[in-house]
Amino acid sequence: MTRKQKFRVVLTDYEWPDLSIEHGIFSPHGINFTAAHCKNEQDVLSVAENADAIISEYAPLSEDVIQSLHRCKIISMNAAGYDNVTVEAATQKGILLVNCPDYCFEELADHTM
C-alpha cells in the first residue's frame, strides 16, 4: 500500500442504529471506514472490491465475490459461523477468516432448551 492509499475497512451489513463506536475506532488511525447494507453479491462488490478488510454478518461472500477482492487481507464475521462465506475460496486467496465463536452461545443454548 502506498502512502496515498488509506487502509480501507468495509462493514457489509449491520442491524444496529449507530456506528459511532466503529467510527471512533477507525477514524483516529486514518482508516477509511465504509458501512453498507449489502443484500447480494453485486452490492458487496460495489463497496468492498478494493477493501483491505471486510466485516460481515449476513452479506454473501461467495467464491465469485472473494475472487474479485483485490486487496482484502481479512474477513471478520460479526457472528459465530461462516454460513455466508465460501471458506475454501478465502483460504486459497490467502485471506484470513475470523469469527466470534462465543457470540450469543449462552442465549442459543437457553433457546434450544
Side-chain angles (χ1 to χ4, degrees), residues 47-111:
V47 295
E49 188 173 29
N50 291 309
D52 296 289
I54 296 173
I55 304 169
S56 185
E57 188 166 351
Y58 301 114
L61 300 171
S62 67
E63 181 174 5
D64 289 340
V65 169
I66 290 170
Q67 292 305 321
S68 298
L69 300 174
H70 301 297
R71 295 171 34 181
C72 189
K73 302 288 184 269
I74 185 169
I75 297 171
S76 177
M77 302 303 299
N78 274 344
Y82 303 105
D83 296 349
N84 58 318
V85 181
T86 305
V87 175
E88 297 82 15
T91 301
Q92 289 174 355
K93 188 131 182 174
I95 298 173
L96 180 63
L97 183 57
V98 298
N99 67 344
C100 302
D102 58 356
Y103 174 73
C104 285
F105 70 97
E106 289 181 9
E107 292 86 348
L108 179 60
D110 290 346
H111 180 73

Side-chain angles (χ1 to χ4, degrees), residues 36-60:
H37 291 288
C38 300
K39 303 286 185 211
N40 56 51
E41 292 179 356
Q42 190 55 46
D43 291 347
V44 174
L45 285 174
S46 69
V47 295
E49 188 173 29
N50 291 309
D52 296 289
I54 296 173
I55 304 169
S56 185
E57 188 166 351
Y58 301 114

